[in-house]
Amino acid sequence: MNSDSVILLETVNFAAEKHRNQRRKDPDGTPYINHPIGVARILSHEGGVTDIEVLQAALLHDTVEDTDTSIPELEAAFGQTVARIVQEVTDDKALPKQERKRLQVEHAPHCSHQAKLVKLADKLYNLRDLNRCTPTGWTEERVQEYFVWAAQVVKGLRGTNPTLEDKLQQLFKQRGVEM
């Protein structure tokens, strides 16, 4: 196996261990690890991204926010660049939800190109997932509000990856959401 394959497998294994007991909020309780793997796949398969550190960050993007993982732990295991990208896309869970959402919109234009790629793929995965099935406890109004908010975030990511941005634009258009 080439070294990139080994690196990606180590990263997938780390993320799988960290997310092992987590489930998505869909009615099937899909294993959470499907999400970061799907985000990395969108980047490589649809976005044409080959930057190994971006793909690693995609696999790890929710570990700090949703598990007991720390940025220093990521830096020790995967290097400074991967840890920085993950830190850029990590919300501060100590803040109220509305403030975290506001900050995502505010910070999106100022992220590194690498972090913007992860954010685009993450939003694309989440919006497709919302179209596939409504999370348990969500109303149609809440789904629509998520689309409106996601469009505000994506607006700040423009110019990062035209292919992913076009796919997001199509989803927003289907929902009647302006970007």
Side-chain angles (χ1 to χ4, degrees), residues 10 24 77 112-113 118 123 179:
E10 283 302 310
R24 294 286 282 176
S112 68
H113 182 76
V118 174
K123 293 295 179 261
M179 196 167 75

Side-chain angles (χ1 to χ4, degrees), residues 7-165:
I7 290 168
L8 280 179
L9 286 172
E10 283 302 310
T11 309
V12 169
N13 186 66
F14 182 94
E17 283 295 317
K18 291 294 186 170
H19 292 296
R20 72 181 170 275
N21 296 320
Q22 295 176 325
R23 302 276 178 205
R24 294 286 282 176
K25 295 175 183 173
D26 60 0
D28 294 335
T30 305
Y32 194 86
I33 191 61
N34 291 13
H35 170 66
I37 291 170
V39 171
R41 186 174 187 281
I42 285 170
L43 284 168
S44 66
H45 221 64
E46 298 179 59
V49 174
T50 57
D51 180 334
I52 191 76
E53 291 170 318
V54 171
L55 298 175
Q56 286 180 277
L59 291 164
L60 300 166
H61 79 274
D62 279 335
T63 56
V64 173
E65 195 171 307
D66 294 339
T67 75
D68 63 355
T69 307
S70 68
I71 293 296
E73 181 181 6
L74 289 180
E75 189 170 338
F78 303 106
Q80 186 175 11
T81 301
V82 172
R84 175 190 49 78
I85 298 166
V86 172
Q87 187 166 28
E88 283 187 80
V89 301
T90 297
D91 288 347
D92 180 352
K93 289 292 239 211
L95 297 173
K97 184 178 180 179
Q98 285 308 116
E99 178 65 4
R100 293 192 311 262
K101 291 176 84 168
R102 186 190 69 75
L103 287 172
Q104 273 201 47
V105 173
E106 185 178 304
H107 291 157
H110 309 292
C111 290
S112 68
H113 182 76
Q114 293 165 311
K116 286 179 178 182
L117 287 167
V118 174
K119 282 185 161 294
L120 282 172
D122 183 40
K123 293 295 179 261
L124 185 53
Y125 184 99
N126 285 337
L127 295 172
R128 285 175 173 168
D129 214 32
L130 284 172
N131 276 340
R132 181 182 61 81
C133 71
T134 304
T136 303
W138 281 43
T139 62
E140 187 56 40
E141 180 183 5
R142 184 171 175 190
V143 171
Q144 188 68 13
E145 286 171 2
Y146 186 93
F147 270 82
V148 169
W149 166 75
Q152 294 171 341
V153 176
V154 169
K155 184 178 181 181
L157 303 172
R158 281 189 176 145
T160 303
N161 184 298
T163 303
L164 297 181
E165 292 168 49

Side-chain angles (χ1 to χ4, degrees), residues 168-178:
L168 283 156
Q169 182 59 46
Q170 289 170 20
L171 291 176
F172 294 134
K173 189 176 179 180
Q174 290 168 2
R175 287 274 178 166
V177 174
E178 291 292 321

